[in-house]
Short mmCIF file of all heavy atoms in Angstrom, two decimals:
data_model
loop_
_atom_site.label_atom_id
_atom_site.label_comp_id
_atom_site.label_asym_id
_atom_site.label_seq_id
_atom_site.Cartn_x
_atom_site.Cartn_y
_atom_site.Cartn_z
N GLY A 1 -93.97 -12.52 14.64
CA GLY A 1 -93.80 -11.37 13.83
C GLY A 1 -94.99 -11.05 12.97
O GLY A 1 -96.15 -11.34 13.40
N ARG A 2 -94.78 -10.53 11.87
CA ARG A 2 -95.97 -10.10 11.01
C ARG A 2 -96.72 -11.32 10.58
O ARG A 2 -96.31 -12.49 10.77
CB ARG A 2 -95.39 -9.43 9.75
CG ARG A 2 -94.59 -10.27 8.85
CD ARG A 2 -94.25 -9.52 7.53
NE ARG A 2 -93.29 -10.27 6.70
CZ ARG A 2 -93.63 -11.26 5.88
NH1 ARG A 2 -94.90 -11.64 5.77
NH2 ARG A 2 -92.78 -11.80 5.01
N THR A 3 -97.95 -11.14 10.10
CA THR A 3 -98.82 -12.16 9.62
C THR A 3 -98.03 -13.04 8.70
O THR A 3 -97.46 -12.60 7.73
CB THR A 3 -100.03 -11.58 8.97
OG1 THR A 3 -100.78 -10.73 9.82
CG2 THR A 3 -100.97 -12.69 8.47
N PHE A 4 -98.09 -14.32 9.01
CA PHE A 4 -97.20 -15.21 8.31
C PHE A 4 -97.93 -16.55 8.03
O PHE A 4 -98.69 -17.05 8.85
CB PHE A 4 -95.96 -15.52 9.24
CG PHE A 4 -95.14 -16.63 8.79
CD1 PHE A 4 -94.40 -16.53 7.66
CD2 PHE A 4 -95.11 -17.87 9.52
CE1 PHE A 4 -93.53 -17.67 7.29
CE2 PHE A 4 -94.34 -18.90 9.14
CZ PHE A 4 -93.52 -18.79 8.00
N SER A 5 -97.73 -17.08 6.83
CA SER A 5 -98.28 -18.39 6.50
C SER A 5 -97.24 -19.09 5.67
O SER A 5 -96.40 -18.47 4.96
CB SER A 5 -99.60 -18.26 5.78
OG SER A 5 -99.45 -17.57 4.55
N SER A 6 -97.28 -20.37 5.65
CA SER A 6 -96.31 -21.19 4.92
C SER A 6 -97.03 -22.42 4.38
O SER A 6 -98.05 -22.75 4.80
CB SER A 6 -95.11 -21.56 5.85
OG SER A 6 -95.51 -22.51 6.79
N SER A 7 -96.37 -23.05 3.38
CA SER A 7 -96.90 -24.25 2.80
C SER A 7 -96.29 -25.48 3.55
O SER A 7 -96.82 -26.60 3.41
CB SER A 7 -96.62 -24.42 1.33
OG SER A 7 -95.22 -24.33 1.06
N GLY A 8 -95.33 -25.24 4.34
CA GLY A 8 -94.71 -26.36 5.08
C GLY A 8 -93.55 -25.90 5.88
O GLY A 8 -93.00 -24.81 5.65
N MET A 9 -93.03 -26.72 6.75
CA MET A 9 -91.91 -26.41 7.57
C MET A 9 -91.02 -27.62 7.68
O MET A 9 -91.40 -28.73 7.39
CB MET A 9 -92.41 -25.92 9.01
CG MET A 9 -93.18 -24.70 9.00
SD MET A 9 -93.69 -24.09 10.56
CE MET A 9 -92.18 -23.36 11.17
N GLY A 10 -89.78 -27.38 8.13
CA GLY A 10 -88.84 -28.54 8.19
C GLY A 10 -87.79 -28.22 9.22
O GLY A 10 -87.73 -27.19 9.85
N TRP A 11 -87.02 -29.29 9.41
CA TRP A 11 -85.87 -29.26 10.30
C TRP A 11 -84.62 -29.61 9.58
O TRP A 11 -84.63 -30.55 8.74
CB TRP A 11 -86.02 -30.20 11.50
CG TRP A 11 -87.09 -29.78 12.46
CD1 TRP A 11 -88.42 -30.18 12.45
CD2 TRP A 11 -86.89 -28.89 13.59
NE1 TRP A 11 -89.07 -29.53 13.53
CE2 TRP A 11 -88.18 -28.79 14.20
CE3 TRP A 11 -85.79 -28.19 14.09
CZ2 TRP A 11 -88.34 -28.00 15.34
CZ3 TRP A 11 -85.98 -27.40 15.24
CH2 TRP A 11 -87.25 -27.32 15.81
N PHE A 12 -83.57 -28.86 9.83
CA PHE A 12 -82.21 -29.16 9.27
C PHE A 12 -81.23 -29.19 10.41
O PHE A 12 -81.54 -28.74 11.55
CB PHE A 12 -81.78 -28.13 8.30
CG PHE A 12 -82.59 -28.12 6.99
CD1 PHE A 12 -83.91 -27.67 6.97
CD2 PHE A 12 -82.05 -28.65 5.79
CE1 PHE A 12 -84.67 -27.67 5.84
CE2 PHE A 12 -82.81 -28.67 4.69
CZ PHE A 12 -84.09 -28.20 4.62
N ARG A 13 -80.08 -29.71 10.20
CA ARG A 13 -79.06 -29.75 11.25
C ARG A 13 -77.61 -29.53 10.67
O ARG A 13 -77.48 -29.82 9.50
CB ARG A 13 -79.07 -30.98 12.02
CG ARG A 13 -78.61 -32.25 11.28
CD ARG A 13 -78.87 -33.51 12.18
NE ARG A 13 -78.50 -34.74 11.51
CZ ARG A 13 -78.66 -35.94 11.96
NH1 ARG A 13 -79.25 -36.16 13.15
NH2 ARG A 13 -78.23 -36.99 11.25
N GLN A 14 -76.74 -28.98 11.48
CA GLN A 14 -75.40 -28.76 11.02
C GLN A 14 -74.44 -29.17 12.14
O GLN A 14 -74.45 -28.56 13.20
CB GLN A 14 -75.18 -27.35 10.60
CG GLN A 14 -73.84 -27.05 10.02
CD GLN A 14 -73.76 -25.73 9.32
OE1 GLN A 14 -74.59 -24.82 9.58
NE2 GLN A 14 -72.79 -25.48 8.42
N ALA A 15 -73.63 -30.13 11.89
CA ALA A 15 -72.61 -30.54 12.80
C ALA A 15 -71.30 -29.81 12.51
O ALA A 15 -71.15 -29.32 11.43
CB ALA A 15 -72.37 -32.08 12.60
N PRO A 16 -70.44 -29.74 13.57
CA PRO A 16 -69.19 -28.99 13.33
C PRO A 16 -68.42 -29.49 12.12
O PRO A 16 -68.17 -30.75 12.01
CB PRO A 16 -68.43 -29.27 14.68
CG PRO A 16 -69.51 -29.52 15.62
CD PRO A 16 -70.57 -30.24 14.89
N GLY A 17 -67.98 -28.55 11.32
CA GLY A 17 -67.17 -28.95 10.17
C GLY A 17 -67.97 -29.56 9.03
O GLY A 17 -67.35 -29.96 8.03
N LYS A 18 -69.24 -29.62 9.11
CA LYS A 18 -70.13 -30.24 8.10
C LYS A 18 -71.05 -29.22 7.54
O LYS A 18 -71.35 -28.23 8.11
CB LYS A 18 -70.78 -31.50 8.63
CG LYS A 18 -69.87 -32.61 9.01
CD LYS A 18 -70.60 -33.86 9.34
CE LYS A 18 -69.70 -35.00 9.71
NZ LYS A 18 -70.46 -36.25 9.98
N GLU A 19 -71.60 -29.56 6.38
CA GLU A 19 -72.64 -28.75 5.79
C GLU A 19 -73.98 -28.95 6.48
O GLU A 19 -74.26 -30.05 7.02
CB GLU A 19 -72.77 -29.02 4.32
CG GLU A 19 -71.47 -28.66 3.53
CD GLU A 19 -71.74 -28.85 1.98
OE1 GLU A 19 -72.72 -29.34 1.59
OE2 GLU A 19 -70.79 -28.38 1.23
N ARG A 20 -74.87 -27.99 6.38
CA ARG A 20 -76.18 -28.09 6.89
C ARG A 20 -76.92 -29.15 6.04
O ARG A 20 -76.88 -29.13 4.81
CB ARG A 20 -76.91 -26.80 6.86
CG ARG A 20 -78.22 -26.74 7.66
CD ARG A 20 -78.78 -25.33 7.74
NE ARG A 20 -77.85 -24.43 8.41
CZ ARG A 20 -78.20 -23.15 8.75
NH1 ARG A 20 -79.45 -22.71 8.50
NH2 ARG A 20 -77.32 -22.37 9.34
N GLU A 21 -77.71 -30.05 6.73
CA GLU A 21 -78.33 -31.15 6.06
C GLU A 21 -79.80 -31.26 6.48
O GLU A 21 -80.19 -30.85 7.57
CB GLU A 21 -77.64 -32.47 6.31
CG GLU A 21 -77.67 -32.94 7.77
CD GLU A 21 -77.05 -34.31 7.99
OE1 GLU A 21 -76.48 -34.85 7.01
OE2 GLU A 21 -77.13 -34.81 9.10
N PHE A 22 -80.60 -31.77 5.57
CA PHE A 22 -81.95 -31.99 5.73
C PHE A 22 -82.24 -33.07 6.80
O PHE A 22 -81.53 -34.12 6.88
CB PHE A 22 -82.67 -32.37 4.46
CG PHE A 22 -84.04 -32.90 4.57
CD1 PHE A 22 -85.11 -32.06 4.86
CD2 PHE A 22 -84.31 -34.24 4.43
CE1 PHE A 22 -86.39 -32.53 4.98
CE2 PHE A 22 -85.59 -34.78 4.60
CZ PHE A 22 -86.64 -33.90 4.85
N VAL A 23 -83.22 -32.83 7.69
CA VAL A 23 -83.57 -33.89 8.69
C VAL A 23 -85.04 -34.35 8.45
O VAL A 23 -85.27 -35.54 8.32
CB VAL A 23 -83.47 -33.26 10.11
CG1 VAL A 23 -84.01 -34.28 11.19
CG2 VAL A 23 -82.03 -32.89 10.42
N ALA A 24 -85.98 -33.44 8.46
CA ALA A 24 -87.41 -33.82 8.24
C ALA A 24 -88.21 -32.62 7.72
O ALA A 24 -87.78 -31.47 7.99
CB ALA A 24 -87.97 -34.25 9.63
N ALA A 25 -89.31 -32.92 7.14
CA ALA A 25 -90.20 -31.88 6.58
C ALA A 25 -91.62 -32.27 6.71
O ALA A 25 -91.95 -33.50 6.68
CB ALA A 25 -89.88 -31.56 5.12
N ILE A 26 -92.49 -31.31 6.83
CA ILE A 26 -93.96 -31.56 6.78
C ILE A 26 -94.59 -30.57 5.83
O ILE A 26 -94.22 -29.43 5.81
CB ILE A 26 -94.54 -31.51 8.19
CG1 ILE A 26 -96.05 -31.86 8.22
CG2 ILE A 26 -94.30 -30.07 8.83
CD1 ILE A 26 -96.60 -32.08 9.57
N THR A 27 -95.54 -31.02 4.98
CA THR A 27 -96.25 -30.15 4.12
C THR A 27 -97.70 -30.08 4.63
O THR A 27 -98.36 -31.10 4.87
CB THR A 27 -96.28 -30.77 2.68
OG1 THR A 27 -94.90 -30.84 2.25
CG2 THR A 27 -97.06 -29.91 1.71
N TRP A 28 -98.11 -28.85 4.88
CA TRP A 28 -99.43 -28.66 5.55
C TRP A 28 -100.59 -29.21 4.79
O TRP A 28 -101.48 -29.81 5.37
CB TRP A 28 -99.63 -27.15 5.84
CG TRP A 28 -98.58 -26.55 6.71
CD1 TRP A 28 -97.96 -25.39 6.51
CD2 TRP A 28 -98.15 -27.01 8.03
NE1 TRP A 28 -97.11 -25.10 7.56
CE2 TRP A 28 -97.18 -26.10 8.52
CE3 TRP A 28 -98.44 -28.16 8.76
CZ2 TRP A 28 -96.55 -26.23 9.70
CZ3 TRP A 28 -97.80 -28.27 10.03
CH2 TRP A 28 -96.84 -27.35 10.43
N SER A 29 -100.65 -28.91 3.48
CA SER A 29 -101.89 -29.29 2.72
C SER A 29 -102.18 -30.74 2.68
O SER A 29 -103.37 -31.17 2.73
CB SER A 29 -101.71 -28.76 1.30
OG SER A 29 -100.64 -29.30 0.63
N SER A 30 -101.17 -31.57 2.62
CA SER A 30 -101.33 -33.01 2.53
C SER A 30 -101.07 -33.76 3.83
O SER A 30 -101.45 -34.94 3.95
CB SER A 30 -100.38 -33.54 1.47
OG SER A 30 -99.11 -33.37 1.83
N GLY A 31 -100.33 -33.08 4.70
CA GLY A 31 -99.85 -33.81 5.95
C GLY A 31 -98.70 -34.67 5.70
O GLY A 31 -98.18 -35.40 6.57
N ARG A 32 -98.14 -34.57 4.46
CA ARG A 32 -97.00 -35.38 4.12
C ARG A 32 -95.81 -35.10 4.98
O ARG A 32 -95.52 -33.95 5.19
CB ARG A 32 -96.66 -35.29 2.69
CG ARG A 32 -95.39 -35.97 2.20
CD ARG A 32 -95.15 -35.86 0.73
NE ARG A 32 -93.86 -36.36 0.36
CZ ARG A 32 -93.50 -36.65 -0.88
NH1 ARG A 32 -94.33 -36.49 -1.89
NH2 ARG A 32 -92.25 -37.09 -1.10
N THR A 33 -95.08 -36.16 5.42
CA THR A 33 -93.79 -35.99 6.11
C THR A 33 -92.74 -36.67 5.39
O THR A 33 -92.93 -37.73 4.74
CB THR A 33 -93.92 -36.51 7.54
OG1 THR A 33 -94.30 -37.92 7.50
CG2 THR A 33 -94.96 -35.73 8.37
N ASP A 34 -91.53 -36.16 5.42
CA ASP A 34 -90.38 -36.74 4.81
C ASP A 34 -89.22 -36.72 5.80
O ASP A 34 -89.11 -35.78 6.59
CB ASP A 34 -90.01 -36.05 3.55
CG ASP A 34 -91.03 -36.15 2.43
OD1 ASP A 34 -90.94 -37.14 1.70
OD2 ASP A 34 -91.95 -35.31 2.34
N TYR A 35 -88.37 -37.71 5.71
CA TYR A 35 -87.25 -37.83 6.63
C TYR A 35 -85.93 -38.19 5.92
O TYR A 35 -85.96 -38.91 4.89
CB TYR A 35 -87.52 -38.91 7.66
CG TYR A 35 -88.72 -38.66 8.52
CD1 TYR A 35 -90.01 -39.10 8.17
CD2 TYR A 35 -88.62 -37.86 9.70
CE1 TYR A 35 -91.06 -38.83 8.99
CE2 TYR A 35 -89.65 -37.62 10.51
CZ TYR A 35 -90.92 -38.05 10.14
OH TYR A 35 -92.04 -37.80 10.89
N ALA A 36 -84.83 -37.72 6.47
CA ALA A 36 -83.53 -38.18 6.03
C ALA A 36 -83.46 -39.64 6.41
O ALA A 36 -83.94 -40.03 7.44
CB ALA A 36 -82.44 -37.36 6.66
N TYR A 37 -82.69 -40.37 5.61
CA TYR A 37 -82.52 -41.83 5.85
C TYR A 37 -81.94 -42.08 7.25
O TYR A 37 -82.34 -42.98 7.97
CB TYR A 37 -81.65 -42.50 4.81
CG TYR A 37 -81.43 -43.94 5.02
CD1 TYR A 37 -82.36 -44.83 4.64
CD2 TYR A 37 -80.27 -44.41 5.61
CE1 TYR A 37 -82.22 -46.18 4.86
CE2 TYR A 37 -80.06 -45.75 5.78
CZ TYR A 37 -80.98 -46.68 5.44
OH TYR A 37 -80.84 -47.97 5.62
N SER A 38 -81.05 -41.22 7.68
CA SER A 38 -80.31 -41.40 8.96
C SER A 38 -81.19 -41.27 10.16
O SER A 38 -80.80 -41.77 11.20
CB SER A 38 -79.12 -40.41 8.99
OG SER A 38 -79.62 -39.07 8.96
N VAL A 39 -82.40 -40.59 10.03
CA VAL A 39 -83.20 -40.36 11.26
C VAL A 39 -84.54 -41.18 11.13
O VAL A 39 -85.34 -41.19 12.04
CB VAL A 39 -83.49 -38.92 11.47
CG1 VAL A 39 -82.19 -38.18 11.52
CG2 VAL A 39 -84.43 -38.31 10.38
N LYS A 40 -84.84 -41.73 9.93
CA LYS A 40 -86.09 -42.44 9.72
C LYS A 40 -86.27 -43.48 10.74
O LYS A 40 -85.37 -44.34 11.03
CB LYS A 40 -86.14 -42.95 8.32
CG LYS A 40 -87.58 -43.07 7.79
CD LYS A 40 -87.49 -43.32 6.25
CE LYS A 40 -88.86 -43.23 5.61
NZ LYS A 40 -88.87 -43.34 4.19
#
């Protein structure tokens, strides 16, 4: 789409009947990654 930049991106997931939850994230400037305990 249009010119786009972000400071980071992530992944979330939603199982049937459950709320959407955090899975993993990456921050571009530092390269830092974070994970939910369940997927680490």
Side-chain angles (χ1 to χ4, degrees):
R2 63 173 173 83
T3 301
F4 168 71
S5 62
S6 70
S7 61
M9 297 182 75
W11 288 95
F12 291 75
R13 68 186 182 186
Q14 187 166 17
K18 295 188 177 181
E19 295 186 350
R20 192 172 299 189
E21 64 176 6
F22 168 75
V23 175
I26 185 166
T27 300
W28 299 131
S29 61
S30 63
R32 171 175 172 167
T33 57
D34 293 275
Y35 298 92
Y37 179 80
S38 59
V39 307
K40 208 165 189 177

